[in-house]
Structure formats: C-alpha cells, structure tokens
Amino acid sequence: MTAHKRYPIPDAIKDTTLLNEEQYQAMYNQSISDPEAFWAEQAGMLEWYQAPTKIKNTRFGEGEVSIKWFEDGELNASYNCIDRHLADNAKKTAIHWEGDTPGEAEAITYQQLHYEVCKLANGLKKLGVKKGDRVAIYMPMVPQAAYAMLACARIGAVHSVIFGGFSPNAIADRINDSDAKVIITSDEGRRAGRSVPLKTNVDKALADGACPSITNAVVLKLTGADVDWNDDVDVWWDELVDDCTGQCEPEVMNAEDPLFILYTSGSTGTPKGVVHTTGGYLLYTAMTFKYVFDYQPDDIYWCTADVGWITGHSYMVYGPLINGASQVFFEGVPNYPDVRRIAQVVEKYKVNSLYTAPTAIRALMAHGDKPAEGCDLSSLRLLGSVGEPINPEAWEWYHRVLGENRCPIVDTWWQTETGGIMITPLAGATELKPGSATRPFFGIEPALFDADGKELEGANEGNLVIKNSWPSQARTVYGDHERFINTYFSTYPGVYFTGDGARRDEDDYFWITGRVDDVLNVSGHRLGTAEIESAMVAHSKVAEAAVVGYPHDIKGQGIYVYVTPNDGVTADEALSKELRDWVRNELSPIATPDKIQWSEGLPKTRSGKIMRRILRKIAANEHDQLGDTSTLADPSVVDKLIAERLNK
Ligand code: WTA
C-alpha cells in the first residue's frame, strides 16, 4: 500500500486548541472504560431542571433493543439553546443570515431568537399543538426554519423537518407516517435566483384529504408570491403570532422524550422516521460541536448544510446554539451568483470554521483557484467535511485553496441515526491523512466485521459497526421498533450496524469506503434505490426498473437506471426525458436519474431477485469483474446489457 501523506498539527492550532493528543487519549480512554462516570460528568454541559442520576441503560440484544440515557433527567432543548445565554449574551448574534442574493442579510441576537421562538411557540399552542404532538416543517433556509424547530422543542412538540427539495408525494408520506397535526411552510423558497413553490407543494400534498391528520398549515410570507388559500387550514405566520406574547414557559421534558423525527432512506421500503430524544442528543451534539470545531467563544462558525438534513439539525441548530455560538445561516448555494460565493461569505463574516460537503468542494475544484480569487480568507482556522467520503484530490484542493495550506480539515463521519459526529480528527490532537476520517470521538467504539459476523483485528477492511451505545443514538424508527431492530441490530447481533464499509490502517485510522447496502449517496444526499425504483414503476409506461449508483466526478455517485418499458412503448429520448421529469415530480429533483439504459430484461436469480451487484458493475464499466454469474436465470441478459451500456 502506498504511504499516505500526513499533515501534522499546525503550531497556531496547538496554541489555542481545547484538546491536545494527550487530553484526547485520556478522555477517550475514560469514556470507554467508565462510560457512566464520563457521561455523568459531561452532562454538566447542559442545564437540567432535574439533573440525571441514572446515566446509561442500553441493550443491543437479539430481538430486544432498548436505549436510554439520563433517563431520570429533565430539561428543555429550547431553554438550553436560548434562555441560558440571555444573562450574559443576550446581545450576541446567534444567526448571521445571508440571503440567496448577495447583499440581503440579517443578524439575529439571542434575545431576538428568544422573542421569535416564544411567539411562535404560543402561536402553535393556539392551534392546539400539545406536548408530544408532531409538527412537520417544510421551509427554506431562513431563520424562521430554526425558530420553528425551537418553538416545537419549547412546547414539547416533536418536529419532523421535511427537506425543501422534496415533492408533494414525499411530503404526504412523511406527514402521514408521523400523523403530523400542523405543517409550517412559506409561500416560496429561493435558491440560486430561482423560486421554489413550497406552499403549492404543500397544497398538492394535502389535496383531496390526502393528509387527514393535518389541521393547519402555518405559512410564512417570504417572497410575497401569490398562493392559493384554504381558510379552513391555512394561517399566515404573522397573523398567528400577532397577538402572542414573547414569553413562553419551556415545557419540562424527560431526557428520553422525543425531540424530533427525521426521515431517511434505507436499503428497502419507504424512508424511516428516525427518532431522536432530548437529553442524550443535546449533550452529544453540544459536545461534538465544541471539540470537533475546537470552538472558541468569539468564533464565527458556518455550516453550509440545509436544516432538512441531520447536519442542519445537529450542527446548525442544536450544537452551535447550546454552545452560544454565532453562526452564518446561508440561504443560497456555493456557486451562485458565481463560484466565489463561499469565499466572499467567509470574508464578509470573518468566518473561523467552515463545514461543508465534498460534493460542493468538487464542484468548486472544477474551477481551479478561481473560487478563492481576490477574497480574504485569513479568518479561517479550521475546515470540516461531511456527508460522503472525501477523495484525496478534493481534500488537497480544500486544504490548499480555501484553507491556504494553514487550516486543518476535520473529515467527520456520521449518520442521521447516530445524531452526531462519530469518527473525526480533532484539530489539536490528530495528525491528518487526506481521505481518512481518522479516529473515534469520545464514547464511540467502532469495529470491523466480515460477512460471517467475525470481528476483524488490526489493519483490515470490513463492515463498520459500533459496539456500544452513545448518547445521541437514534432510539427507534417512528411507529416501527421492529424495523429499527431489523435494520440496525440483526445483521450482527449485539452491535449497531452502520451500513458502511471501512478500512482501518496501521495507525488505527478509519477510512470510510461507502455504503455496503442499496443506499445511494448522491451529492451527499442519501437516497434509497427502492424509493427511486418505486417512483419509476409507478409510471404507466414502465414495466420494471432497477436503480444503482455509479461513480460520478462531482456528485460522488450518480443515479443509473435500467428500465424495461411496457410492451408496445417506444423507448427513446423523449421517454427518457419524460421519466426523468416524472421522478423529479414524484420524489425530488435530487433523485433525478443521470442515466437511463433501456433493457429488455434484468439479470435475475432463478428465484426472481434482481442481481444488483452485476448491474452496479455494468454501470461502473467494470464488466470484466462481474464475479459469479452462475446463479442467473438467463445469462444472455447480461451480455446484452454490457453491449448497450452507457458508460463506454
Ligand atoms: C456517508 C450525514 C464518508 C456514509 C451526516 C453514511 C460519509 C451516510 C461521511 C449518512 C464521511 C457521511 N466520510 N462517508 N465523512 N459522512 N458519510 O444519514 O455513507 O445523510 O452512512 O448523514 O453518509 O448519511 P446521512
């Protein structure tokens, strides 16, 4: 194996870091050898109405999975994010909102955040929302998205944020799965100079009584666009909160009360409603935010994610706010109006730590050094990466062009289900190797297993599992605990299975190799092949479809679809376009197929199971590595597919 380039810890970081190597080792060792004592002490990072005395009560048994942390503790998430800062930092900026259009901006202090959140919390109460009720949030990247989440948390309602890029069907599915009572949205969203018809999408989702649990839609007037109005359901945000006060007593919540549901794609079936609870989630996100970003009280932090994903929940709302941080909240995209936008925003707000995704980095890298041209990036101290494996070339570009060869990069591996960052370098403690997420955070015990369930030791490659529970672990799949157990705890009894593959090197550094199941990672967005396939076959001209990922320069993975049209249907460019548009509308623009290959038949086993392994190889143009094809019902299908493949 080739020796990897190493990047030592910069001297400037050594002077200010919260944790050096020795401190990391000591804390890590304690977190593993005595989790009770470790987490009992860390729990002091939060403010509790009732401090927990029972710390960890977790079982990953076969057939029985029960995860409880701090179970007798009582607290409120919105209190921890806002109220506790008011005594000393009421005037500190919590959110520097930067609009899609340069020049549009607004600063929100902790005091204002308190006022806005309380008003909306009171407004939701007026609509009858109570502790435990679910509230769907379908919002663009404006501060009101954070207000909405925190208002729910304040009154003990469970928020379920639906990414603003999802289409009406996907919205309806998520509302119905969680029986949401209210949905909060805006007239439109804005992205890269275009408008996104959020309210219209909600109208379509609710049409014809499709979402019977919804009693009201709260609508923020953002662009002022004309929208249809249903007096029985719709209520303007401003009008709702007009007569509400800016004071709202936080609801006292048990540590194990649910804080939110977030839907995520799995390898089979419909998206799962991953449930996170209050105490453990808040503590772990607060702590990872502090140490992973080596947070200093005057820092300006910027995460470019969207609140519709877990990164937006943990590292744009809960983690930074619990720490009382000032952060940039960005409505737009990295290359609008041009590819210098990220660098310009860094310069404007003097950003100290920037957290973004490899797909954004690769898109900028395609423009050479231009994305940083003429911009002052000297404020940056630390860079972060999340969402997909970062290839060493992108890492090097990020380090050189945005990091000016000065800033360490924390490549953070984690998942919706893990709630917070699991494997990551710490800027002051970890020598970096481009492409490696390096070492576990406190309390995390990663291991590698082979296909037979045997644990692999030393430098090795296998399936990544976590051997013991950590505070921000998902507790269940909403309404389906059985599915939770089957998905994460049945492959390897007694441990949590991540669905990712990884390699551990001679320094015990982890290198995440990507999903080992049928989950795609397209531009850092997690998509299930099953969801895209079911959208495809819902089209009247499609008999059968199989979806696989293939290597894509910018997106990481592209979506490759094999389609068998119905008899008598002409398979041509027009149909290809029709199917692409169909998936956009049925599911989401992010799920739009990149390539559609017509196929008379798909490779199947004699029992009728599609052999995706073979389809993946053909799509990746690795047809000389098909492996064992002896179990195919009709091997000639494969030759045809290879002859007609699109990636020649
Ligand atoms: C992938 C996003 C390599 C991985 C926080 C995981 C990564 C899935 C990294 C979860 C990383 C995330 N290196 N792969 N640093 N971060 N992934 O639930 O495959 O949207 O299982 O959570 O993204 O995606 P999710």
CSV table of all heavy atoms in Angstrom, one decimal, residues 264 310-311 385-389 411-417 498 500 512 514-515 521 524 526, ligand 1:
chain,number,residue,atom,x,y,z
A,264,THR,N,-35.2,9.2,6.8
A,264,THR,CA,-34.0,8.9,6.0
A,264,THR,C,-34.2,7.6,5.2
A,264,THR,O,-34.9,6.7,5.6
A,264,THR,CB,-32.8,8.9,6.9
A,264,THR,OG1,-31.6,8.9,6.0
A,264,THR,CG2,-32.7,7.6,7.8
A,310,ILE,N,-29.8,15.9,8.7
A,310,ILE,CA,-29.4,15.8,10.1
A,310,ILE,C,-28.2,16.8,10.4
A,310,ILE,O,-28.2,17.3,11.5
A,310,ILE,CB,-28.9,14.3,10.4
A,310,ILE,CG1,-28.7,14.2,11.9
A,310,ILE,CG2,-27.7,14.0,9.7
A,310,ILE,CD1,-29.9,14.2,12.8
A,311,THR,N,-27.4,17.1,9.4
A,311,THR,CA,-26.3,18.0,9.6
A,311,THR,C,-26.9,19.4,10.0
A,311,THR,O,-26.4,20.1,10.9
A,311,THR,CB,-25.4,18.2,8.4
A,311,THR,OG1,-25.0,16.8,8.0
A,311,THR,CG2,-24.2,19.0,8.7
A,385,SER,N,-15.6,18.6,6.8
A,385,SER,CA,-16.2,17.9,5.6
A,385,SER,C,-17.2,16.9,6.2
A,385,SER,O,-16.9,16.3,7.2
A,385,SER,CB,-15.1,17.2,4.8
A,385,SER,OG,-15.7,16.4,3.8
A,386,VAL,N,-18.3,16.7,5.5
A,386,VAL,CA,-19.3,15.8,6.0
A,386,VAL,C,-20.2,15.3,4.8
A,386,VAL,O,-20.4,16.0,3.8
A,386,VAL,CB,-20.2,16.4,7.0
A,386,VAL,CG1,-20.9,17.7,6.5
A,386,VAL,CG2,-21.3,15.4,7.5
A,387,GLY,N,-20.7,14.1,5.0
A,387,GLY,CA,-21.8,13.6,4.1
A,387,GLY,C,-21.4,12.5,3.2
A,387,GLY,O,-22.2,11.7,2.8
A,388,GLU,N,-20.1,12.4,2.8
A,388,GLU,CA,-19.7,11.3,1.9
A,388,GLU,C,-18.2,11.3,2.0
A,388,GLU,O,-17.5,12.2,2.5
A,388,GLU,CB,-20.1,11.6,0.5
A,388,GLU,CG,-19.9,13.1,0.1
A,388,GLU,CD,-20.2,13.5,-1.3
A,388,GLU,OE1,-19.9,12.7,-2.2
A,388,GLU,OE2,-20.5,14.6,-1.5
A,389,PRO,N,-17.6,10.2,1.5
A,389,PRO,CA,-16.2,10.1,1.5
A,389,PRO,C,-15.6,11.3,0.7
A,389,PRO,O,-16.1,11.6,-0.3
A,389,PRO,CB,-15.9,8.8,0.8
A,389,PRO,CG,-17.1,8.0,0.9
A,389,PRO,CD,-18.2,9.0,0.9
A,411,ASP,N,-12.6,15.7,8.8
A,411,ASP,CA,-13.4,14.9,7.9
A,411,ASP,C,-14.3,14.0,8.9
A,411,ASP,O,-13.8,13.1,9.5
A,411,ASP,CB,-12.6,14.0,7.0
A,411,ASP,CG,-13.4,13.0,6.2
A,411,ASP,OD1,-14.6,13.1,6.3
A,411,ASP,OD2,-12.8,12.1,5.6
A,412,THR,N,-15.6,14.4,9.0
A,412,THR,CA,-16.4,13.9,10.1
A,412,THR,C,-17.3,12.8,9.5
A,412,THR,O,-18.2,13.1,8.7
A,412,THR,CB,-17.3,15.0,10.7
A,412,THR,OG1,-18.1,15.5,9.7
A,412,THR,CG2,-16.4,16.1,11.3
A,413,TRP,N,-17.2,11.6,10.0
A,413,TRP,CA,-18.1,10.5,9.6
A,413,TRP,C,-19.2,10.4,10.6
A,413,TRP,O,-19.0,10.2,11.8
A,413,TRP,CB,-17.4,9.2,9.4
A,413,TRP,CG,-18.4,8.1,9.1
A,413,TRP,CD1,-19.0,7.8,7.9
A,413,TRP,CD2,-19.0,7.3,10.1
A,413,TRP,NE1,-19.9,6.8,8.1
A,413,TRP,CE2,-20.0,6.4,9.4
A,413,TRP,CE3,-18.9,7.1,11.5
A,413,TRP,CZ2,-20.7,5.5,10.0
A,413,TRP,CZ3,-19.7,6.2,12.1
A,413,TRP,CH2,-20.6,5.3,11.4
A,414,TRP,N,-20.5,10.4,10.1
A,414,TRP,CA,-21.6,10.1,11.0
A,414,TRP,C,-22.8,9.9,10.1
A,414,TRP,O,-22.8,9.9,8.9
A,414,TRP,CB,-21.8,11.2,12.1
A,414,TRP,CG,-22.0,12.6,11.6
A,414,TRP,CD1,-21.1,13.3,10.9
A,414,TRP,CD2,-23.1,13.4,11.8
A,414,TRP,NE1,-21.6,14.6,10.6
A,414,TRP,CE2,-22.9,14.6,11.2
A,414,TRP,CE3,-24.4,13.2,12.4
A,414,TRP,CZ2,-23.8,15.7,11.1
A,414,TRP,CZ3,-25.3,14.2,12.4
A,414,TRP,CH2,-25.0,15.5,11.8
A,415,GLN,N,-24.0,9.7,10.8
A,415,GLN,CA,-25.2,9.4,10.1
A,415,GLN,C,-26.4,10.0,10.8
A,415,GLN,O,-26.4,10.3,11.9
A,415,GLN,CB,-25.5,7.9,10.1
A,415,GLN,CG,-24.3,7.1,9.7
A,415,GLN,CD,-24.6,5.6,9.8
A,415,GLN,OE1,-24.8,5.1,10.9
A,415,GLN,NE2,-24.5,4.9,8.6
A,416,THR,N,-27.6,10.1,10.0
A,416,THR,CA,-28.8,10.5,10.6
A,416,THR,C,-29.1,9.7,11.9
A,416,THR,O,-29.4,10.3,13.0
A,416,THR,CB,-30.0,10.3,9.7
A,416,THR,OG1,-29.7,11.0,8.4
A,416,THR,CG2,-31.3,10.8,10.2
A,417,GLU,N,-28.8,8.5,11.9
A,417,GLU,CA,-29.1,7.6,13.0
A,417,GLU,C,-28.1,7.8,14.2
A,417,GLU,O,-28.5,7.4,15.3
A,417,GLU,CB,-29.0,6.1,12.6
A,417,GLU,CG,-30.0,5.7,11.6
A,417,GLU,CD,-29.5,5.9,10.1
A,417,GLU,OE1,-28.6,6.7,9.9
A,417,GLU,OE2,-30.1,5.2,9.2
A,498,THR,N,-23.7,0.0,10.7
A,498,THR,CA,-23.9,1.3,10.1
A,498,THR,C,-24.3,1.3,8.7
A,498,THR,O,-24.8,2.3,8.2
A,498,THR,CB,-22.5,2.0,10.1
A,498,THR,OG1,-21.6,1.2,9.3
A,498,THR,CG2,-21.9,2.1,11.5
A,500,ASP,N,-22.2,1.0,6.4
A,500,ASP,CA,-21.0,1.5,5.7
A,500,ASP,C,-19.9,0.4,5.8
A,500,ASP,O,-19.8,-0.3,6.7
A,500,ASP,CB,-20.4,2.8,6.3
A,500,ASP,CG,-21.2,4.0,5.8
A,500,ASP,OD1,-21.5,4.1,4.6
A,500,ASP,OD2,-21.5,4.9,6.7
A,512,ILE,N,-13.5,5.5,5.5
A,512,ILE,CA,-14.8,5.0,5.1
A,512,ILE,C,-14.9,4.8,3.6
A,512,ILE,O,-14.5,5.7,2.9
A,512,ILE,CB,-15.9,6.1,5.5
A,512,ILE,CG1,-15.7,6.6,7.0
A,512,ILE,CG2,-17.3,5.5,5.2
A,512,ILE,CD1,-15.9,5.5,8.0
A,514,GLY,N,-17.7,3.7,1.9
A,514,GLY,CA,-19.0,4.0,1.3
A,514,GLY,C,-20.0,2.9,1.7
A,514,GLY,O,-19.7,2.0,2.5
A,515,ARG,N,-21.2,3.1,1.3
A,515,ARG,CA,-22.3,2.2,1.7
A,515,ARG,C,-22.1,0.8,1.1
A,515,ARG,O,-21.6,0.6,0.0
A,515,ARG,CB,-23.7,2.7,1.2
A,515,ARG,CG,-24.1,4.0,1.6
A,515,ARG,CD,-24.4,4.2,3.1
A,515,ARG,NE,-25.4,3.3,3.6
A,515,ARG,CZ,-26.1,3.5,4.7
A,515,ARG,NH1,-25.8,4.5,5.5
A,515,ARG,NH2,-27.0,2.6,5.1
A,521,ASN,N,-25.5,7.7,-2.3
A,521,ASN,CA,-25.1,8.9,-1.7
A,521,ASN,C,-24.8,9.9,-2.9
A,521,ASN,O,-23.8,9.9,-3.4
A,521,ASN,CB,-23.9,8.8,-0.8
A,521,ASN,CG,-23.7,10.0,0.1
A,521,ASN,OD1,-24.0,11.1,-0.3
A,521,ASN,ND2,-23.2,9.7,1.3
A,524,GLY,N,-24.0,13.9,-1.5
A,524,GLY,CA,-24.2,14.0,-0.1
A,524,GLY,C,-25.6,13.8,0.4
A,524,GLY,O,-25.9,13.8,1.6
A,526,ARG,N,-28.8,11.3,0.8
A,526,ARG,CA,-29.0,9.9,1.0
A,526,ARG,C,-30.3,9.5,0.3
A,526,ARG,O,-31.3,10.0,0.6
A,526,ARG,CB,-29.0,9.6,2.5
A,526,ARG,CG,-28.9,8.2,2.8
A,526,ARG,CD,-28.6,8.2,4.3
A,526,ARG,NE,-29.2,7.0,4.8
A,526,ARG,CZ,-29.2,6.6,6.1
A,526,ARG,NH1,-28.6,7.4,7.0
A,526,ARG,NH2,-29.7,5.5,6.5
B,1,WTA,C1,-21.9,8.8,4.4
B,1,WTA,C2,-25.0,12.6,7.1
B,1,WTA,C3,-17.6,9.1,4.4
B,1,WTA,C4,-22.0,7.4,5.0
B,1,WTA,C5,-24.2,13.1,8.3
B,1,WTA,C6,-23.1,7.4,6.0
B,1,WTA,C7,-19.7,9.7,5.0
B,1,WTA,C8,-24.1,8.3,5.3
B,1,WTA,C9,-19.1,10.7,5.8
B,1,WTA,C10,-25.0,9.0,6.2
B,1,WTA,C11,-17.7,10.9,5.8
B,1,WTA,C12,-21.3,10.7,6.0
B,1,WTA,N1,-17.0,10.1,5.1
B,1,WTA,N2,-18.9,8.9,4.3
B,1,WTA,N3,-17.1,11.9,6.4
B,1,WTA,N4,-20.2,11.4,6.4
B,1,WTA,N5,-21.0,9.7,5.1
B,1,WTA,O1,-27.7,10.0,7.2
B,1,WTA,O2,-22.2,6.5,3.9
B,1,WTA,O3,-27.4,11.8,5.5
B,1,WTA,O4,-23.7,6.2,6.2
B,1,WTA,O5,-25.9,11.6,7.5
B,1,WTA,O6,-23.3,9.3,4.6
B,1,WTA,O7,-25.8,10.0,5.6
B,1,WTA,P1,-26.8,10.9,6.4
